[in-house]
Amino acid sequence: MSISSSFKKIAAVAVLLAAPVSAFAELDNIRSLATSTLSLLNIVITIVFVLAILVFGWGVVKYVASAGSPDKEKEARQFLWWGVIGIFVLA
């Protein structure tokens, strides 16, 4: 048996033994990516929830300021409904 054939066998065994280790390293990368994605998603949901509350509040202000005008009341109700829908979807 020559040295090069022994080296090839040892290298093949080393590669086969190292394959699971590299697979576990990839799992760690996937886990860190999933954790980062979830953190970003939580931030986005919080921002959108705050925006829904602001839309609802703006609808309240517009409704109070409508002073009995049917067109302005209708527009204010649309803001109120969209705000309520956004809050219930995100809550």
Side-chain angles (χ1 to χ4, degrees):
M1 193 180 242
S2 69
I3 294 178
S4 70
S5 109
S6 296
F7 180 74
K8 287 180 184 178
K9 287 181 182 178
I10 292 172
V13 169
V15 167
L16 290 174
L17 290 175
V21 174
S22 66
F24 285 127
E26 290 298 321
L27 284 177
D28 287 340
N29 289 339
I30 291 170
R31 285 185 187 132
S32 68
L33 177 65
T35 303
S36 299
T37 303
L38 286 175
S39 297
L40 181 64
L41 188 61
N42 283 334
I43 292 169
V44 169
I45 287 174
T46 302
I47 291 171
V48 173
F49 187 76
V50 169
L51 287 173
I53 291 172
L54 289 173
V55 166
F56 180 79
W58 183 249
V60 170
V61 169
K62 288 182 76 78
Y63 191 79
V64 170
S66 68
S69 171
D71 292 335
K72 289 183 180 180
E73 279 185 15
K74 183 179 178 183
E75 184 181 353
R77 280 193 207 119
Q78 287 178 340
F79 275 98
L80 289 168
W81 277 113
W82 282 113
V84 167
I85 290 169
I87 291 168
F88 280 114
V89 166
L90 294 171

